[in-house]
Amino acid sequence: MKQSIYGLTFEQLTSWLEEHGEKKFRSKQVWDWLYQKRVTEFSQMKNVNQSCIDLLDEHFTIETLTEEIKQESQDGTIKFLFKLDDGNVIETVLMRFNYGLSVCVTTQVGCNIGCSFCASGILRKSRDLTSGEIVEQIMQVQHHLDKQGKDERVSHIVVMGIGEPFDNYDNLMDFLNVVNDKKGLSIGARHITVSTSGIAPKMYEFADEGIQVNLALSIHAPNNELRTQIMKINRAYPLEKLMPAIDYYLEKTNRRITFEYILLRDVNDHKKEAEELAALLKDKRHLSYVNLIPYNPVADHPYERSEKEAILTFYQTLMDHGIKCGVRTEHGTDIDAACGQLRSKQIEKEKARKKKKMQTN
Ligand code: SAH
Ligand code: SF4
């Protein structure tokens, strides 16, 4: 199968072209067509010689995702469901903030981490996305914006869609390289956030990359007992492995970490847990920010959203202990915008349709 041209970093494309007998400067031209003029066919690359276009056509594709569903919410959030070359579906979300347009990308088809509250976790991972498929999600959204003709650009990226980015590390790094490159989309590293469920060894590696990309850690509970109950990954990387990895990251980068904390009613949302979390983060509070996430109920999951009161108390308790925090504002709740929800609904529908078909046959 041909590979997506979006998967190659500038350096990789340059050496590929050289290896195939093309001049070095071609990569600059090709990138300009891909990321500035944003064409969708090689034949549209006007100043590129025909032999090079034929070569690219023979080995690469530009568009590999097809849009299956596009849902627009009242608040301007747009949820895209894309079909991959192999028939799998993934989702990508565009959110509007006062500081810009942010895209939430998917990194894997399903997720093996299997957190008990997450819609993506029920469907096990069937494969990693390629770097090209991750970049193309941004490009598909950008092409959508281009078509609207309002000269809008994707300015921020959150790697918080389906999948565990640190379980697809090399493709994640190529993706970050491509979208951050000044010759391409040039999305500032400080405008990009990668969220992990806490794969400790990869957090050390990420700290050593020497890049300015933000890190978010899904902590969700202040002690091992509770954390293991809702995130089984905590067995492999419990807090005593996670906290040193965080300390290493902070020391190495001096960059703030965002701790994500999903509030599950009567599970992890008591004042007691807020105090415990504050104690856990006490020595690093100058470089910590806690993002409190109101839970988006997922069908067949045992959890409920916390009461407003509980959310406020949790927030206030952290603030009283000098921990900076905020409650995540919600986007597109009317369109299943929670991680993996649209996709899992679509898969359920497909299953039901097949079952019905079998019964009628
Ligand atoms: N696997 C990575 C990144 C993807 S999940 C991680 O776990 O960090 C990104 C975020 O979406 C996580 O913080 C997770 O807690 C949140 N999330 C998952 N399901 C959710 C739900 N039903 N409601 C609200 N947030 C959810
Ligand atoms: Fe995977 Fe993140 Fe969902 Fe956990 S919350 S199952 S790590 S996508």
Side-chain angles (χ1 to χ4, degrees), residues 70-79 331-335 337:
K70 182 163 65 199
Q71 282 186 345
E72 190 150 1
S73 158
Q74 312 233 319
D75 62 15
T77 303
I78 305 179
K79 185 130 197 175
H331 286 260
T333 32
D334 52 329
I335 54 161

Side-chain angles (χ1 to χ4, degrees), residues 108 110-122 160-165 195-197 218 220 231 233 339:
Q108 299 179 312
C111 184
N112 272 348
I113 307 295
C115 303
S116 60
F117 52 81
C118 175
S120 311
I122 347 170
M160 291 189 184
I162 301 163
E164 168 49 53
S195 173
T196 179
S197 58
S218 293
H220 304 323
M231 302 175 78
I233 187 77
C339 169

Side-chain angles (χ1 to χ4, degrees), residues 164-346:
E164 168 49 53
F166 283 177
D167 180 38
N168 187 13
Y169 194 82
D170 294 343
N171 291 341
L172 170 78
M173 292 317 292
D174 281 349
F175 158 73
L176 294 175
N177 184 324
V178 170
V179 293
N180 179 232
D181 197 317
K182 290 241 165 8
K183 297 178 283 308
L185 292 174
S186 188
I187 297 176
R190 288 192 168 90
H191 286 187
I192 306 175
T193 303
V194 175
S195 173
T196 179
S197 58
I199 314 291
K202 292 291 171 193
M203 290 167 67
Y204 288 95
E205 213 172 319
F206 194 68
D208 287 336
E209 297 283 354
I211 51 172
Q212 311 272 317
V213 171
N214 304 303
L215 181 65
L217 173 75
S218 293
I219 189 132
H220 304 323
N223 60 60
N224 280 330
E225 195 189 338
L226 200 51
R227 195 162 191 270
T228 303
Q229 186 190 319
I230 56 183
M231 302 175 78
K232 60 180 197 289
I233 187 77
N234 194 62
R235 282 202 196 101
Y237 305 114
L239 292 173
E240 52 281 14
K241 287 206 176 134
L242 216 45
M243 297 325 272
I246 291 165
D247 289 336
Y248 181 83
Y249 176 87
L250 294 177
E251 200 171 306
K252 192 85 204 240
T253 66
N254 204 31
R255 298 188 60 73
R256 190 170 86 165
I257 287 197
T258 297
F259 293 91
E260 289 161 284
Y261 195 103
I262 192 164
L263 288 160
L264 307 168
R265 183 176 166 180
D266 284 337
V267 177
N268 65 352
D269 67 346
H270 313 99
K271 191 169 175 158
K272 180 168 93 47
E273 279 98 29
E275 280 166 349
E276 227 178 313
L277 183 63
L280 188 68
L281 303 180
K282 190 170 174 232
D283 64 337
K284 42 187 134 290
R285 60 177 184 270
H286 58 296
L287 283 174
S288 301
Y289 179 83
V290 177
N291 202 357
L292 298 170
I293 310 174
Y295 178 60
N296 248 317
V298 174
D300 303 327
H301 281 46
Y303 303 115
E304 284 172 51
R305 168 175 294 215
S306 296
E307 301 278 1
K308 271 212 175 77
E309 276 281 284
I311 299 180
L312 276 178
T313 309
F314 207 97
Y315 169 85
Q316 199 53 53
T317 309
L318 290 178
M319 291 297 269
D320 290 347
H321 285 79
I323 309 280
K324 282 184 225 66
C325 61
V327 179
R328 180 181 286 177
T329 48
E330 291 178 89
H331 286 260
T333 32
D334 52 329
I335 54 161
D336 307 312
C339 169
Q341 277 186 327
L342 177 62
R343 173 173 178 266
S344 48
K345 257 194 199 168
Q346 195 61 19

